[in-house]
């Protein structure tokens, strides 16, 4: 089981859009997928799920506090869930920190244009302190212009990578969300769908386990 936490200390950065679309991409890649809505104040991902016709995969469940988060993660591992995405609140709270602490990888969405950057410093600091790996993901990028590139340059000094994979400020993301769908379901041949596929494929490579390295580490520990 791999856990991906989507976190930033900034509302409106596109966390839930990333979470729901990546969860559907994961399900379409034949992963049994759980999306945990850990944003008790909004519950947007949970509401998105409750209005869906297909509630088989991905599943969405709410974690309103730390105790429920740990319980859901324990059950997910017990039931053989392949991928868990955690959609968090745009604030520095114990629940967000616990979600980060249990993750294999953290995605930090940042709107292009630089206005979200100050909040990213706090998020990046928390992820570094907890010893977790992660990356900034540019969201709502303008189709033209240099804003995304300029934002990446600003983020480069915060200690995490900012890959070329991004989401663009396209109406189809909002239209799909209104219908409780992902862009992969709503317009599978759209630019937005390609963006989500590219981001998911990149993410899968980032969280892939090097089995040989794992075996070698276990062997070294056993003979230590």
């Amino acid at each position: 089981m791999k856990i991906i936490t989507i976190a930033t200390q900034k509302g409106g950065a596109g966390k839930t859009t990333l979470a729901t679309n990546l969860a559907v991409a994961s399900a379409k890649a034949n992963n049994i997928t759980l999306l945990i809505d850990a944003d008790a104040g909004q519950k947007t991902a949970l509401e998105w799920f409750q209005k869906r016709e297909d509630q088989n995969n991905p599943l969405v469940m709410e974690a309103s506090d730390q105790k429920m988060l740990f319980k859901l993660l324990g059950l997910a591992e017990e039931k053989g869930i392949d991928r868990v995405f955690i959609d968090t609140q745009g604030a520095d709270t114990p629940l967000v920190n616990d979600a980060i602490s249990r993750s294999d990888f953290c995605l930090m969405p940042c709107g292009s244009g630089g206005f979200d950057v100050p909040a990213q410093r706090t998020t990046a600091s928390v992820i570094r302190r907890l010893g977790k790996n992660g990356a900034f993901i540019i969201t709502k990028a303008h189709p033209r212009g240099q804003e995304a590139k300029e934002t990446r340059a600003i983020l480069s000094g915060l200690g995490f990578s900012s890959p070329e994979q991004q989401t663009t400020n396209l109406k189809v993301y909002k239209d799909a969300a209104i219908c409780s769908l992902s862009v992969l379901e709503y317009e599978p041949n759209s630019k937005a769908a390609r963006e989500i596929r590219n981001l998911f494929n990149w993410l899968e490579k980032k969280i892939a386990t090097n089995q040989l390295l794992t075996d070698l580490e276990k062997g070294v520990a056993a003979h230590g």
Side-chain angles (χ1 to χ4, degrees):
M1 184 175 82
K2 295 293 185 181
I3 302 170
I4 300 94
T5 294
I6 301 172
T8 182
Q9 316 300 317
K10 172 76 169 62
K15 290 188 295 296
T16 302
T17 298
L18 277 183
T20 52
N21 280 282
L22 287 173
V24 171
S26 176
K28 285 185 173 293
N30 296 318
N31 293 317
I32 304 173
T33 303
L34 171 65
L35 169 56
I36 297 178
D37 189 337
D39 187 351
Q42 298 290 332
K43 300 183 182 179
T44 308
L46 184 64
E47 291 175 0
W48 171 87
F49 175 71
Q50 290 172 339
K51 295 174 183 177
R52 281 173 63 81
E53 279 188 34
D54 181 3
Q55 296 186 339
N56 295 307
N57 191 23
L59 298 171
V60 180
M61 298 190 73
E62 178 190 4
S64 56
D65 55 34
Q66 295 150 279
K67 182 178 179 181
M68 181 57 72
L69 174 66
F70 294 144
K71 184 175 182 179
L72 283 175
L73 291 177
L75 286 171
E77 188 163 18
E78 179 183 318
K79 298 297 183 181
I81 300 293
D82 299 308
R83 299 287 181 271
V84 177
F85 293 87
I86 306 178
D87 183 22
T88 63
Q89 184 179 5
D92 185 4
T93 68
L95 179 56
V96 173
N97 290 350
D98 281 337
I100 292 171
S101 73
R102 293 296 301 272
S103 64
D104 295 288
F105 198 83
C106 297
L107 291 178
M108 294 172 279
C110 181
S112 67
F115 294 108
D116 286 2
V117 171
Q120 304 301 335
R121 292 189 176 91
T122 304
T123 310
S125 176
V126 171
I127 293 172
R128 279 198 306 272
R129 175 170 54 81
L130 295 173
K132 296 298 176 176
N133 194 12
F136 295 108
I137 297 298
I138 303 297
T139 57
K140 304 179 181 179
H142 291 284
R144 299 180 180 84
Q146 297 296 310
E147 282 191 350
K149 183 177 179 180
E150 292 167 357
T151 302
R152 285 193 185 88
I154 298 170
L155 292 171
S156 65
L158 299 183
F160 291 96
S161 65
S162 180
E164 290 299 316
Q165 284 76 12
Q166 64 181 34
T167 66
T168 307
N169 189 23
L170 298 169
K171 183 173 177 287
V172 64
Y173 283 106
K174 294 179 182 178
D175 292 342
I178 290 171
C179 297
S180 293
L181 297 171
S182 77
V183 293
L184 298 172
E185 298 162 316
Y186 188 78
E187 284 191 13
N189 296 319
S190 64
K191 178 181 178 181
R194 291 194 298 274
E195 290 177 347
I196 293 300
R197 289 190 194 96
N198 289 339
L199 179 55
F200 176 74
N201 291 336
W202 170 85
L203 179 60
E204 284 289 288
K205 291 177 182 177
K206 298 298 289 188
I207 64 175
T209 301
N210 186 328
Q211 193 58 50
L212 176 59
L213 179 60
T214 301
D215 293 342
L216 288 172
E217 289 174 341
K218 289 180 179 178
V220 170
H223 290 87

